[in-house]
Amino acid sequence: MKIRIVPYRAGSESARLLAGKLSNLLRYKVWRGAPKERRINLNWGSTLVGPNQPQSPEAIYRASNKLETLKCLSNAGLSVPPFTEDIEEARRWLDGKTTVVARTLLRASEGRGIVLADSADSLPNAPLYVKYIPKKREYRVHVVNGQVIDVQEKRKKRDWNEDRNTKIRNTANGYVFCHEGLAEPVQLRQLGVDGVRALGLYFGAVDIIYNEKNDKCYILEINTAPGLCESTAEKYAHAFASLGRT
Protein backbone atom coordinates (compact mmCIF):
# COMPACT_ATOMS: atom_id res chain seq x y z
CA MET A 1 0.00 0.00 0.00
CA LYS A 2 1.05 3.56 -0.59
CA ILE A 3 2.04 5.90 2.23
CA ARG A 4 -0.07 8.92 3.13
CA ILE A 5 1.17 11.58 5.59
CA VAL A 6 -1.45 12.65 8.15
CA PRO A 7 -0.14 15.98 9.51
CA TYR A 8 -1.17 17.64 12.76
CA ARG A 9 -1.93 20.78 10.71
CA ALA A 10 -2.31 21.34 6.98
CA GLY A 11 0.57 23.82 6.75
CA SER A 12 3.17 21.71 8.53
CA GLU A 13 6.48 22.41 6.80
CA SER A 14 8.11 19.26 8.19
CA ALA A 15 5.25 17.09 6.85
CA ARG A 16 5.58 18.76 3.44
CA LEU A 17 9.33 18.17 3.38
CA LEU A 18 8.96 14.55 4.45
CA ALA A 19 6.27 13.88 1.82
CA GLY A 20 8.56 15.25 -0.88
CA LYS A 21 11.49 13.08 0.21
CA LEU A 22 9.27 9.98 0.32
CA SER A 23 7.84 10.77 -3.13
CA ASN A 24 11.37 10.85 -4.56
CA LEU A 25 12.31 7.56 -2.91
CA LEU A 26 9.13 5.62 -3.65
CA ARG A 27 8.58 7.07 -7.13
CA TYR A 28 4.94 7.91 -6.50
CA LYS A 29 3.24 11.00 -5.11
CA VAL A 30 2.97 10.84 -1.32
CA TRP A 31 -0.05 12.94 -0.42
CA ARG A 32 -0.85 14.70 2.83
CA GLY A 33 -4.28 14.83 4.45
CA ALA A 34 -6.80 12.92 6.53
CA PRO A 35 -6.47 9.12 6.82
CA LYS A 36 -7.74 7.06 3.88
CA GLU A 37 -8.60 3.42 3.28
CA ARG A 38 -6.04 1.26 1.48
CA ARG A 39 -3.18 3.51 2.56
CA ILE A 40 -0.43 3.37 5.17
CA ASN A 41 -1.55 6.41 7.17
CA LEU A 42 1.57 7.84 8.79
CA ASN A 43 0.45 10.20 11.53
CA TRP A 44 2.81 13.18 11.83
CA GLY A 45 1.78 14.61 15.19
CA SER A 46 -1.88 13.99 14.32
CA THR A 47 -4.28 12.09 16.56
CA LEU A 48 -6.79 11.42 13.77
CA VAL A 49 -7.84 7.76 13.84
CA GLY A 50 -7.78 5.70 10.65
CA PRO A 51 -6.73 2.34 9.21
CA ASN A 52 -3.15 1.08 8.88
CA GLN A 53 -1.43 3.47 11.28
CA PRO A 54 2.12 2.52 12.37
CA GLN A 55 2.13 5.49 14.75
CA SER A 56 -0.71 5.06 17.23
CA PRO A 57 -2.93 8.15 17.69
CA GLU A 58 -3.27 7.19 21.36
CA ALA A 59 0.50 7.18 21.80
CA ILE A 60 0.78 10.54 20.03
CA TYR A 61 -1.85 12.00 22.34
CA ARG A 62 0.09 10.66 25.33
CA ALA A 63 3.34 12.12 24.04
CA SER A 64 1.74 15.52 23.48
CA ASN A 65 0.90 15.82 27.18
CA LYS A 66 3.98 16.85 29.19
CA LEU A 67 2.67 15.32 32.41
CA GLU A 68 1.59 12.01 30.89
CA THR A 69 4.94 11.74 29.11
CA LEU A 70 6.90 12.15 32.33
CA LYS A 71 4.65 9.71 34.17
CA CYS A 72 5.06 7.03 31.49
CA LEU A 73 8.81 7.46 31.30
CA SER A 74 9.19 7.46 35.09
CA ASN A 75 7.00 4.35 35.44
CA ALA A 76 9.25 2.64 32.89
CA GLY A 77 12.26 3.39 35.10
CA LEU A 78 13.78 5.90 32.67
CA SER A 79 15.70 9.01 33.67
CA VAL A 80 13.58 12.19 33.83
CA PRO A 81 13.88 15.33 35.95
CA PRO A 82 11.98 15.25 39.26
CA PHE A 83 8.40 16.45 38.70
CA THR A 84 5.24 16.99 40.70
CA GLU A 85 1.66 18.17 40.41
CA ASP A 86 1.78 19.50 43.98
CA ILE A 87 2.59 23.21 44.31
CA GLU A 88 3.63 22.70 47.94
CA GLU A 89 6.28 20.19 46.93
CA ALA A 90 7.47 22.61 44.26
CA ARG A 91 7.76 25.31 46.92
CA ARG A 92 9.90 23.01 49.04
CA TRP A 93 12.26 22.60 46.09
CA LEU A 94 12.61 26.39 45.96
CA ASP A 95 13.66 26.41 49.62
CA GLY A 96 16.74 24.53 48.43
CA LYS A 97 17.65 27.30 45.95
CA THR A 98 16.48 25.25 42.97
CA THR A 99 14.79 26.73 39.91
CA VAL A 100 11.37 25.24 39.17
CA VAL A 101 9.96 25.01 35.66
CA ALA A 102 6.21 25.54 35.95
CA ARG A 103 4.19 24.23 33.01
CA THR A 104 0.94 26.17 32.81
CA LEU A 105 0.10 24.39 29.53
CA LEU A 106 0.48 20.62 29.20
CA ARG A 107 0.12 20.59 25.41
CA ALA A 108 2.34 23.31 23.98
CA SER A 109 5.59 23.82 22.09
CA GLU A 110 8.36 26.40 21.63
CA GLY A 111 8.35 27.32 25.31
CA ARG A 112 4.70 28.39 25.49
CA GLY A 113 3.30 28.01 28.99
CA ILE A 114 6.72 27.80 30.68
CA VAL A 115 7.38 29.91 33.77
CA LEU A 116 10.81 29.77 35.42
CA ALA A 117 10.42 30.32 39.14
CA ASP A 118 13.26 31.01 41.57
CA SER A 119 11.09 31.99 44.53
CA ALA A 120 7.72 31.01 45.98
CA ASP A 121 6.32 34.42 45.03
CA SER A 122 7.05 33.78 41.34
CA LEU A 123 5.62 30.25 41.31
CA PRO A 124 2.23 30.18 39.52
CA ASN A 125 -0.57 27.68 39.86
CA ALA A 126 0.12 25.05 37.21
CA PRO A 127 -0.72 21.41 36.45
CA LEU A 128 2.96 20.44 36.33
CA TYR A 129 6.18 21.48 38.05
CA VAL A 130 9.59 20.18 37.00
CA LYS A 131 12.82 20.64 38.92
CA TYR A 132 15.34 22.38 36.70
CA ILE A 133 18.43 20.24 36.01
CA PRO A 134 21.58 22.21 35.05
CA LYS A 135 22.78 21.00 31.67
CA LYS A 136 25.99 21.19 29.73
CA ARG A 137 24.42 20.01 26.49
CA GLU A 138 21.00 19.26 25.04
CA TYR A 139 20.31 16.78 22.25
CA ARG A 140 17.53 15.56 20.01
CA VAL A 141 17.64 11.84 19.26
CA HIS A 142 15.50 10.71 16.31
CA VAL A 143 14.25 7.13 16.62
CA VAL A 144 12.24 5.06 14.11
CA ASN A 145 11.13 1.49 14.81
CA GLY A 146 13.69 0.96 17.58
CA GLN A 147 16.64 2.42 15.65
CA VAL A 148 18.40 5.77 16.06
CA ILE A 149 18.44 7.45 12.65
CA ASP A 150 19.90 10.83 13.62
CA VAL A 151 21.31 12.81 16.54
CA GLN A 152 21.44 16.60 16.81
CA GLU A 153 22.66 19.01 19.45
CA LYS A 154 21.00 22.31 20.35
CA ARG A 155 23.49 25.16 20.11
CA LYS A 156 23.37 28.94 20.16
CA LYS A 157 23.04 30.74 16.84
CA ARG A 158 26.08 32.73 15.74
CA ASP A 159 24.19 35.96 16.38
CA TRP A 160 22.86 34.74 19.73
CA ASN A 161 21.81 37.52 22.10
CA GLU A 162 23.60 37.25 25.45
CA ASP A 163 20.50 38.60 27.20
CA ARG A 164 18.54 35.46 26.37
CA ASN A 165 17.89 32.77 28.97
CA THR A 166 20.05 29.67 28.46
CA LYS A 167 17.74 27.54 30.61
CA ILE A 168 15.20 27.27 27.77
CA ARG A 169 16.89 26.01 24.61
CA ASN A 170 14.54 26.25 21.66
CA THR A 171 14.50 27.91 18.27
CA ALA A 172 12.41 30.81 19.56
CA ASN A 173 15.13 31.51 22.13
CA GLY A 174 18.00 31.57 19.65
CA TYR A 175 19.06 27.92 19.45
CA VAL A 176 19.52 25.74 16.37
CA PHE A 177 20.04 22.02 15.78
CA CYS A 178 23.55 20.99 14.71
CA HIS A 179 25.18 17.75 13.52
CA GLU A 180 28.83 18.76 13.52
CA GLY A 181 31.31 17.79 16.21
CA LEU A 182 28.91 15.97 18.50
CA ALA A 183 30.21 14.55 21.77
CA GLU A 184 27.56 12.00 22.73
CA PRO A 185 27.19 10.71 26.29
CA VAL A 186 27.39 6.92 26.39
CA GLN A 187 23.77 6.47 27.51
CA LEU A 188 22.26 8.99 25.06
CA ARG A 189 21.11 6.76 22.18
CA GLN A 190 19.77 3.90 24.27
CA LEU A 191 17.80 6.34 26.42
CA GLY A 192 16.24 7.75 23.26
CA VAL A 193 15.23 4.30 22.01
CA ASP A 194 13.84 3.32 25.42
CA GLY A 195 11.87 6.56 25.68
CA VAL A 196 10.10 6.06 22.36
CA ARG A 197 9.32 2.47 23.27
CA ALA A 198 7.97 3.44 26.72
CA LEU A 199 5.36 5.73 25.15
CA GLY A 200 4.32 3.08 22.63
CA LEU A 201 5.48 5.15 19.66
CA TYR A 202 6.73 3.87 16.31
CA PHE A 203 8.93 6.94 15.96
CA GLY A 204 9.80 10.06 17.93
CA ALA A 205 12.35 12.82 18.38
CA VAL A 206 13.55 12.65 21.98
CA ASP A 207 14.82 15.81 23.69
CA ILE A 208 17.52 14.82 26.18
CA ILE A 209 19.73 16.97 28.42
CA TYR A 210 23.13 15.97 29.79
CA ASN A 211 24.30 16.94 33.28
CA GLU A 212 28.07 16.70 33.31
CA LYS A 213 28.47 16.81 37.11
CA ASN A 214 26.42 13.63 37.54
CA ASP A 215 27.37 12.23 34.11
CA LYS A 216 23.68 11.59 33.55
CA CYS A 217 21.10 12.12 30.80
CA TYR A 218 17.46 13.07 31.36
CA ILE A 219 14.54 12.93 28.91
CA LEU A 220 12.55 16.17 28.76
CA GLU A 221 9.95 15.31 26.12
CA ILE A 222 9.31 13.34 22.93
CA ASN A 223 8.17 15.01 19.73
CA THR A 224 5.95 13.24 17.19
CA ALA A 225 6.12 15.98 14.53
CA PRO A 226 9.61 17.46 14.92
CA GLY A 227 10.93 20.26 12.77
CA LEU A 228 13.18 18.83 10.06
CA CYS A 229 16.17 20.01 8.11
CA GLU A 230 16.89 18.51 4.68
CA SER A 231 19.29 15.83 5.91
CA THR A 232 17.10 14.68 8.81
CA ALA A 233 14.02 14.57 6.55
CA GLU A 234 16.01 12.36 4.18
CA LYS A 235 16.82 9.97 7.02
CA TYR A 236 13.18 9.77 8.10
CA ALA A 237 12.14 9.12 4.51
CA HIS A 238 14.58 6.23 4.18
CA ALA A 239 13.40 4.80 7.51
CA PHE A 240 9.74 5.02 6.46
CA ALA A 241 10.16 3.93 2.84
CA SER A 242 9.81 0.21 3.55
CA LEU A 243 6.26 0.84 4.81
CA GLY A 244 5.26 1.93 1.32
CA ARG A 245 6.85 -1.01 -0.47
CA THR A 246 4.85 -3.76 1.18
Side-chain angles (χ1 to χ4, degrees):
M1 287 187 287
K2 293 182 177 180
I3 291 178
R4 182 176 178 84
I5 304 294
V6 183
Y8 69 99
R9 62 178 175 84
S12 169
E13 179 61 23
S14 57
R16 184 200 64 78
L17 185 58
L18 177 61
K21 298 290 186 183
L22 277 168
S23 296
N24 292 338
L25 277 177
L26 296 172
R27 300 186 182 280
Y28 62 75
K29 177 69 174 178
V30 174
W31 296 95
R32 291 166 287 149
K36 279 194 171 183
E37 296 289 340
R38 297 186 297 279
R39 292 290 185 271
I40 300 295
N41 292 293
L42 191 58
N43 283 36
W44 190 255
S46 170
T47 55
L48 290 177
V49 177
N52 308 312
Q53 292 177 307
Q55 184 84 310
S56 158
E58 293 83 359
I60 293 173
Y61 190 80
R62 188 160 51 243
S64 71
N65 184 302
K66 312 299 182 187
L67 178 57
E68 290 304 311
T69 293
L70 291 174
K71 284 182 175 179
C72 285
L73 296 173
S74 179
N75 289 340
L78 301 182
S79 176
V80 297
F83 66 95
T84 183
E85 300 170 73
D86 183 357
I87 192 171
E88 294 304 323
E89 183 174 1
R91 285 177 176 148
R92 288 193 290 273
W93 291 344
L94 289 167
D95 291 342
K97 308 301 182 185
T98 297
T99 297
V100 171
V101 182
R103 289 275 194 175
T104 63
L105 300 173
L106 293 180
R107 302 182 191 276
S109 60
E110 287 297 333
R112 291 186 301 111
I114 289 179
V115 177
L116 296 176
D118 294 310
S119 67
D121 291 340
S122 62
L123 190 68
N125 285 314
L128 172 63
Y129 303 96
V130 181
K131 185 181 286 189
Y132 176 77
I133 301 292
K135 52 187 176 284
K136 182 177 179 64
R137 294 188 291 273
E138 184 169 342
Y139 301 88
R140 178 164 285 183
V141 180
H142 299 270
V143 177
V144 178
N145 196 23
Q147 300 294 320
V148 174
I149 63 165
D150 200 13
V151 178
Q152 299 167 300
E153 183 179 349
K154 293 183 181 182
R155 294 177 183 161
K156 299 173 185 176
K157 291 181 180 178
R158 291 179 181 175
D159 60 349
W160 194 82
N161 187 333
E162 292 296 334
D163 294 331
R164 288 175 172 169
N165 194 322
T166 60
K167 290 180 179 178
I168 302 175
R169 298 185 181 182
N170 56 30
T171 54
N173 205 26
Y175 282 80
V176 292
F177 289 100
C178 301
H179 289 101
E180 302 80 16
L182 298 189
E184 296 183 22
V186 173
Q187 67 268 40
L188 180 73
R189 292 186 176 228
Q190 189 60 54
L191 185 59
V193 170
D194 292 343
V196 169
R197 182 183 297 116
L199 290 191
L201 294 165
Y202 179 72
F203 70 88
V206 190
D207 286 345
I208 298 175
I209 58 171
Y210 173 64
N211 179 279
E212 187 177 43
K213 182 179 179 181
N214 298 322
D215 188 26
K216 188 172 182 179
C217 288
Y218 302 82
I219 298 178
L220 297 183
E221 61 183 2
I222 301 180
N223 307 275
T224 59
L228 300 177
C229 63
E230 290 283 342
S231 62
T232 304
E234 190 77 29
K235 291 173 182 177
Y236 270 102
H238 279 279
F240 293 149
S242 61
L243 295 172
R245 295 186 179 124
T246 56

